[in-house]
Amino acid sequence: MAHWGYMTTNGPSTWGKDFPIANGERQSPIDIVTTAAEYDSDVLGSNALSTNYTPESEVKLVNNGHSIMCQITKKGVLTGGPLGKDEYRLEQFHLHWGAEDNRGSEHTVDGKMYASELHLVHWNASKYSSFADAVQKPDGLAVLGIFITPGVACNQFKVISDNCGKLKTSGAEMTVDTTLDPTLLLPSNTSDYWTYLGSLTTPPLFESVTWIVFKEPVEYSKEQLLALRNLVDSDGNHMQDNYRPPAALKQRKVKKTFT
Ligand SMILES: CN[C@H]1CN(c2cccc(OC)c2)S(=O)(=O)c2sc(S(N)(=O)=O)cc21
Ligand SMILES: [Zn+2]
């Protein structure tokens, strides 16, 4: 098969050919229907979600042909909330975005799409020995989803948006000699989120992700969003609209931590 992507010929509607799990029981993203989400105080209220990230001393950026990714080298831990006592290690973060501000996020909220969505990918280091070991396990991964909306610039994201111009071709990598604290990429309110069991939103679409999607969006400037749209994908086209549309909820419940 031609390499998967987001064009008509290789996009989300074709992924089921090579990745039949595309039509599975716990696929992501989903449309979050806010009135159907269930407040669940015992599981969520008892131990708050907590992040303990170590700032990166240098920033490793990769254009992987589908997104721009930052490889994490320091020890960063996510635990609590739906993850219980398990400690999930931060592995990488990347984004999905649209060609215009009216689209680009993967999760939607009552049908509303945001301009972009940032994903911080973690693996269950309490139960598995490596990312590769965890990536296919039903409780192997946890991804924080942060909605991005046009507004003021996000200072911590500058190191990425300022270097997109040097990562214009698929496979391009660079290391920027500056620090980056992933904590500062999160919204100020990290108590209010939706959570559900889902999957990777790209091939191989493994059903191994506990999704945690924050209610509060983060603002990026127009210039920062434009920088993402100037990246080039593995087919040599402008990398944009690299989002999968919502999949069926099937027999799942979305939980929320706020009333
Ligand atoms: C291309 N994108 C995926 C890359 N991955 C990957 C890397 C190595 C091996 C592997 O399977 C064998 C998968 S990944 O696990 O880091 C993730 S997370 C994710 S998302 N959008 O759901 O947050 C997409 C991808
Ligand atoms: Zn993603």
Side-chain angles (χ1 to χ4, degrees):
M1 163 194 173
H3 196 71
W4 66 268
Y6 294 92
M7 313 295 281
T8 318
T9 51
N10 65 358
S13 60
T14 74
W15 294 351
K17 267 191 307 229
D18 281 78
F19 306 95
I21 201 165
N23 305 297
E25 296 306 303
R26 56 174 280 190
Q27 287 291 293
S28 294
I30 58 167
D31 176 41
I32 296 166
V33 178
T34 57
T35 51
E38 285 180 7
Y39 177 72
D40 187 331
S41 59
D42 60 322
V43 169
L44 303 171
S46 52
N47 51 336
L49 186 74
S50 91
T51 59
N52 182 4
Y53 295 148
T54 308
E56 294 290 304
S57 48
E58 56 181 20
V59 181
K60 293 181 176 313
L61 299 175
V62 181
N63 173 335
N64 65 15
H66 321 288
S67 181
I68 182 158
M69 182 174 69
C70 175
Q71 279 289 6
I72 297 298
T73 59
K74 300 285 189 202
K75 185 176 180 300
V77 173
L78 171 72
T79 187
L83 309 177
K85 300 241 178 302
D86 281 358
E87 293 198 344
Y88 285 68
R89 181 90 37 100
L90 180 59
E91 172 78 14
Q92 58 106 320
F93 64 81
H94 64 274
L95 300 99
H96 305 260
W97 60 89
E100 295 166 355
D101 293 351
N102 66 346
R103 60 185 190 272
S105 65
E106 299 210 295
H107 290 90
T108 53
V109 181
D110 295 331
K112 174 188 167 57
M113 258 192 186
Y114 286 86
S116 174
E117 188 171 328
L118 170 66
H119 289 160
L120 277 72
V121 182
H122 309 70
W123 58 276
N124 191 336
S126 295
K127 289 185 71 174
Y128 306 109
S129 55
S130 68
F131 170 79
D133 183 31
V135 76
Q136 297 194 62
K137 304 294 192 305
D139 58 353
L141 302 183
V143 182
L144 297 181
I146 297 110
F147 291 123
I148 308 297
T149 191
V152 297
C154 172
N155 290 330
Q156 203 63 209
F157 191 69
K158 275 189 178 354
V159 62
I160 293 109
S161 48
D162 288 352
N163 287 289
C164 282
K166 301 185 190 94
L167 289 158
K168 287 190 74 155
T169 52
S170 172
E173 302 191 6
M174 70 184 294
T175 298
V176 187
D177 186 12
T178 183
T179 61
L180 182 145
D181 181 353
T183 317
L184 302 177
L185 294 172
L186 303 179
S188 43
N189 175 356
T190 53
S191 308
D192 295 353
Y193 58 83
W194 297 280
T195 182
Y196 74 99
L197 298 180
S199 72
L200 302 181
T201 65
T202 70
L205 298 170
F206 293 149
E207 296 188 328
S208 56
V209 181
T210 298
W211 276 96
I212 294 164
V213 179
F214 293 113
K215 184 181 73 172
E216 182 187 284
V218 166
E219 291 187 1
Y220 287 3
S221 67
K222 300 285 288 179
E223 294 73 23
Q224 289 183 310
L225 288 165
L226 281 172
L228 293 172
R229 296 174 186 141
N230 286 328
L231 287 161
V232 173
D233 67 18
S234 40
D235 304 317
N237 307 303
H238 267 183
M239 194 188 289
Q240 43 197 242
D241 294 324
N242 56 350
Y243 61 90
R244 187 192 194 189
L249 185 62
K250 302 208 171 167
Q251 305 306 315
R252 291 177 287 180
K253 278 265 180 269
V254 177
K255 293 181 178 168
K256 62 182 177 185
T257 60
F258 57 97
T259 52

